[in-house]
Amino acid sequence: MRHFGHIAPEVRQRLFYREPCAFTADSAPRLLAAALGATLYSPATRPRLADDILKQAGRGVISMVLCLEDSIEDSEVIGAEENLVRQFADLAERDSAEPPLLFIRVRAPEQIPDLVARLGSGIRLLSGFVLPKFTEERGVAFLEALTAAEAASGRRLFAMPVLESPELLHLESRTETLDGIARTVDKYRERVLALRLGVTDFCSAYGLRRPPHMTAYDVHIVASVIADVVNRLGRADGTGFTVTGPVWEYFRVQERMFKPQLRRSPFLEGRAEELRQALIEHDIDGLLREIELDRANGLLGKTCIHPSHVLPVHALSVVSHEEFSDAQDILRPERGGGGVMRSAYTNKMNEVKPHRAWAERTLQRAEVFGVAKEDIGFVELLTAGISG
């Protein structure tokens, strides 16, 4: 699989200075964590789930979460588990089809070994489990269950803890909770692929819901938690983890209270005013702003609950030619001693030592999402993805 692999090779050649790399579910964890992209959630109750998974893979989805937790009713859990077993068996029989990276979001630790045993040969299609409301107290049991299931099945299984508990949100318990989470994920580091943020639960604790013209970063109590999570768990010194962006809830037309946030100029230059208007009408302009703020705040990838969100996330994850040029210059071997230089685009200062970690992360993103050609921007990438 590869990002933008669903579009024709000749189109990719026209768009990319360096194309996204190919990878598999067995690739290195570092690469997979960066490659998650827009992780699409789906209730595990869907009767044609196998077909849905392959349909979304054909549209560019790279990672999916099949949910047994908040997206379904309590009374549906047993039936949803049975459905998952059937759907994995169906997928396993389709040898020519390549599904995305698949994860199951469970409710309780005991579901992990039980599902792994019931999946049988279908286990080869499973990449891991999403662990809800993760704290040190709850997380250890989940991770011990995952370790045991991995040993029993012989299949490498990753964990993606969701940070969404009230203890993490509340100021008086936040530091202690973060310390406990850090101890836990560090102990099981080789199994933790990424950390996910449950911003909907954060808002719920205070009776809040952000409207479509506001991002998670406009809700200050949420923004403060994101900042503290990245500060403690997303460091670029080798101790941190990939932290993914929060879900964007909106996908239907809503009444707009303020003027659109999406600038006109890139769309006029790309002759895509019609596309711009369609994005505005579906409240995608707020999503685009939030994706950019995610990256500016140290997050990579995003939780998605609607297929229309996937391509915008991926298109904005592609590294621009300018970013790539800066990162390469900063990381040149002869620059090991530090120093400062004018960028190749002659519009900024590149300071070798302070910008090194940014450059390394940028090249990691370039590996999995590719580098756009100089004259290619978001509009062209999005349009090609939709057409593909």
Side-chain angles (χ1 to χ4, degrees):
M1 68 187 82
R2 72 167 77 214
H3 283 287
F4 296 93
H6 67 296
I7 65 177
E10 60 271 19
V11 177
R12 289 203 304 271
Q13 291 174 11
R14 190 167 69 246
L15 294 173
F16 289 97
Y17 174 76
R18 286 196 178 182
E19 290 191 30
C21 71
F23 56 91
T24 72
D26 297 318
S27 294
R30 178 197 65 83
L31 187 147
L32 292 180
L36 288 168
T39 300
L40 184 63
Y41 273 57
S42 175
T45 50
R46 293 181 69 90
R48 297 181 62 85
L49 188 57
D51 291 333
D52 294 340
I53 288 169
L54 296 180
K55 177 181 178 181
Q56 296 307 327
R59 294 178 173 178
V61 172
I62 293 295
S63 60
M64 288 187 70
V65 173
L66 314 175
C67 186
L68 293 167
E69 208 225 1
D70 286 347
S71 69
I72 66 173
E73 295 183 14
D74 296 346
S75 60
E76 295 179 305
V77 174
I78 293 175
E81 291 178 343
E82 293 171 349
N83 187 53
L84 275 183
V85 173
R86 287 194 301 271
Q87 302 295 336
F88 268 80
D90 185 355
L91 279 175
E93 291 176 357
R94 308 188 196 190
D95 292 333
S96 60
E98 183 179 36
L101 303 172
L102 297 177
F103 301 85
I104 298 173
R105 177 167 168 151
V106 291
R107 295 181 171 217
E110 55 268 23
Q111 287 178 295
I112 293 176
D114 178 61
L115 284 168
V116 166
R118 292 164 65 186
L119 286 176
S121 61
I123 190 66
R124 64 181 176 82
L125 302 175
L126 182 66
S127 290
F129 291 88
V130 173
L131 314 179
K133 298 171 180 61
F134 192 92
T135 61
E136 183 175 31
E137 183 179 0
R138 285 174 52 85
V140 169
F142 276 113
L143 288 165
E144 286 180 348
L146 183 139
T147 301
E150 183 181 73
S153 66
R155 168 70 179 166
R156 182 181 71 172
L157 297 170
F158 289 114
M160 290 201 291
V162 186
L163 310 186
E164 57 186 348
S165 66
E167 299 94 326
L168 180 59
L169 180 62
H170 296 156
L171 185 62
E172 68 274 16
S173 55
R174 186 179 303 171
T175 299
E176 182 181 354
T177 301
L178 274 172
D179 285 345
I181 292 171
R183 283 191 298 268
T184 306
V185 295
D186 187 60
K187 180 179 178 181
Y188 294 89
R189 177 173 292 272
E190 71 280 4
R191 290 184 174 83
V192 176
L193 187 62
L195 304 176
R196 312 200 71 89
L197 288 165
V199 165
T200 301
D201 279 40
F202 291 159
C203 290
S204 172
Y206 287 89
L208 306 175
R209 185 174 191 180
R210 68 190 191 275
H213 59 271
M214 289 187 179
T215 72
Y217 303 92
D218 295 314
V219 183
H220 290 185
I221 195 165
V222 170
S224 72
V225 183
I226 295 175
D228 286 348
V229 167
V230 174
N231 190 331
R232 187 69 175 86
L233 299 168
R235 299 175 186 177
D237 59 1
T239 66
F241 296 82
T242 294
V243 183
T244 66
V247 69
W248 182 258
E249 297 180 353
Y250 295 95
F251 52 88
R252 290 195 300 267
V253 176
Q254 303 285 339
E255 181 181 358
R256 304 185 62 80
M257 298 173 62
F258 302 107
K259 75 175 188 177
Q261 300 165 354
L262 199 56
R263 293 185 301 114
R264 292 176 59 87
S265 55
F267 287 85
L268 294 176
E269 291 165 7
R271 299 179 181 178
E273 179 65 15
E274 184 178 345
L275 174 60
R276 173 186 178 275
Q277 191 60 39
L279 293 175
I280 289 172
E281 289 173 357
H282 290 82
D283 290 311
I284 298 297
D285 56 324
L287 168 65
L288 301 185
R289 181 167 176 262
E290 185 166 285
I291 295 166
E292 296 216 69
L293 287 169
D294 285 341
R295 191 159 72 246
N297 284 276
L299 310 183
L300 181 61
K302 198 164 188 65
T303 295
C304 293
I305 46 82
H306 196 270
S308 65
H309 300 165
V310 172
L311 277 172
V313 172
H314 291 169
L316 282 176
S317 297
V318 173
V319 173
S320 71
H321 187 273
E322 181 174 346
E323 290 176 306
F324 183 69
S325 173
D326 289 339
Q328 280 199 313
D329 283 348
I330 290 164
L331 295 176
R332 292 188 189 281
E334 63 269 24
R335 302 284 186 185
V340 64
M341 73 202 89
R342 185 173 60 175
S343 72
Y345 276 69
T346 68
N347 60 357
K348 71 178 76 65
M349 173 190 75
N350 287 332
E351 194 168 353
V352 173
K353 290 184 178 179
H355 291 147
R356 185 174 187 85
W358 169 85
E360 290 171 346
R361 285 189 168 185
T362 298
L363 291 189
Q364 183 182 56
R365 184 161 53 92
E367 183 179 6
V368 293
F369 288 101
V371 179
K373 288 186 175 178
E374 287 187 67
D375 59 341
I376 297 297
F378 167 75
V379 171
E380 291 83 5
L381 291 164
L382 184 62
T383 303
I386 293 172
S387 302

